[in-house]
Amino acid sequence: MFLKYGVMEVNDSARYIEYATNLSTGFYFDPHNFWYFGYALFIFMIRIVSKDYLALIVVQYFVSYLAVLSLYKTSLILFNDIRAALLTAACFSLFIEIPTWNSYILAESLFISCTCFSLYVLAIFFKHQSHIRLAVVCVMVLFTALIKPTGIAIAAATAIALLYNPIVNIRNGWVRFSVVVISVAMILAVANRMLLTFDVMENYQKGEVIYDVTTLPPDVQYEMLVVQPPCQLYVPDEKAQPITKIVSFILHHPVYWLRLFLTKLFFLLVHVRPFWSTGHNIFSLFFLLPSYYFLARGIQREGINIVAKVFILVYLAVHVVSVCTTSEDWDGRFLMPLLPVICLVSGREVVAQFSAFVTKRDHPH
């Protein structure tokens, strides 16, 4: 991938580099770019050693390699099966778009890698709990959450996983309910703060599945990437909070919003585009559809701890809702952070089903 792409500087690269450069004068809060602070800090640290962008890309590839190893180790810790661990690492590596992002000066590479590291430290913590390991989990997850806005998914999933057993063990139902409500309210408050600099209503008014698709010249391959909005469209008060705007819009246009949401969901998870090559689309379908099947079967399997299941479901749900409530991207990069979790569960499930098949064949009733 490096020999093919080398160093890729694209549109969004400039603002990450600018934020990292400005950090040399001290920390400052940028209302929009703060939610990418982790990546800006990463760039800043690399630029202390070398200002050549090649150094940044080489480090991203090396960190990605460590991420594969950490995902392998996570599978070993959770399932104690070297076959599942090898298959997980192989699937993660062979989904060709993941290593591709290592060549880009974008947050994706570091975000994917740190998601793997977060899974690793969480697996260690839940196997052997201690205050030191809990501190490591909090630092790692907080850093990951600040690499991209969708990092709220790993923060929310980790918080709920850590609180699950304490909440379940609360005997008073009202106290338990209050803790759950407060936790959800805190997550929504953070999401609301993030959305202050994102114009979600513009997306809804245009019916864009992919950001800015309506700005391109009319083309048949873009038609399915736009959902026709209602003729008389309700527009919320500009001064209202982002979450309030979204909720009020949904209440006024539930069918339209649901169509828009589901169309984004389709393009996010199926990972095809009308303007991508046939080979690319076929590869996505052949890789992802079986992965989703084995993911669903794996979550149902009794061998996975209930806390792990809660983490997986919350992480996938929050990430998917975050993307589908806003907009999908041209290059499909928003799917990439889901793949470490998907590969982890589906890799183990493939091995489990294969083992069951071999056992049944060798010992028929």
Side-chain angles (χ1 to χ4, degrees), residues 201 205 230 232-237 244-245 248-250 252-253:
M201 286 305 114
Q205 291 170 37
Q232 295 183 337
L233 197 69
Y234 166 77
V235 180
D237 184 358
T244 305
K245 289 181 182 179
S248 63
F249 187 90
I250 294 172
H252 280 82
H253 302 291

Side-chain angles (χ1 to χ4, degrees), residues 8-18 43 104-106:
M8 298 292 291
E9 186 177 354
V10 293
N11 290 339
D12 283 345
S13 303
R15 59 192 181 90
Y16 302 137
I17 295 167
E18 181 184 15
I43 295 175
Y104 285 79
I105 305 177
L106 289 172

Side-chain angles (χ1 to χ4, degrees), residues 79 126 164-165 301-310 312:
F79 309 125
F126 281 112
Y164 180 81
N165 283 329
R301 189 172 289 275
E302 293 182 358
I304 298 183
N305 183 279
I306 183 62
V307 175
K309 290 183 180 182
V310 168
I312 291 165

Side-chain angles (χ1 to χ4, degrees), residues 129-140:
Q129 296 187 16
S130 71
H131 294 302
I132 294 176
R133 290 190 178 94
L134 178 60
V136 172
V137 166
C138 292
V139 171
M140 187 70 249

Side-chain angles (χ1 to χ4, degrees), residues 191-192 194-208 211 236 242-243 245-247 249 256-257 260 264 322-327:
N192 187 74
M194 286 180 173
L195 289 169
L196 284 173
T197 57
F198 291 87
D199 195 350
V200 178
M201 286 305 114
E202 182 183 8
N203 173 270
Y204 292 175
Q205 291 170 37
K206 294 180 179 179
E208 293 179 336
Y211 180 71
I243 296 292
K245 289 181 182 179
I246 293 171
V247 172
F249 187 90
Y256 164 66
W257 184 86
L260 188 58
K264 293 173 186 177
S322 298
V323 174
C324 296
T325 302
T326 52
S327 63

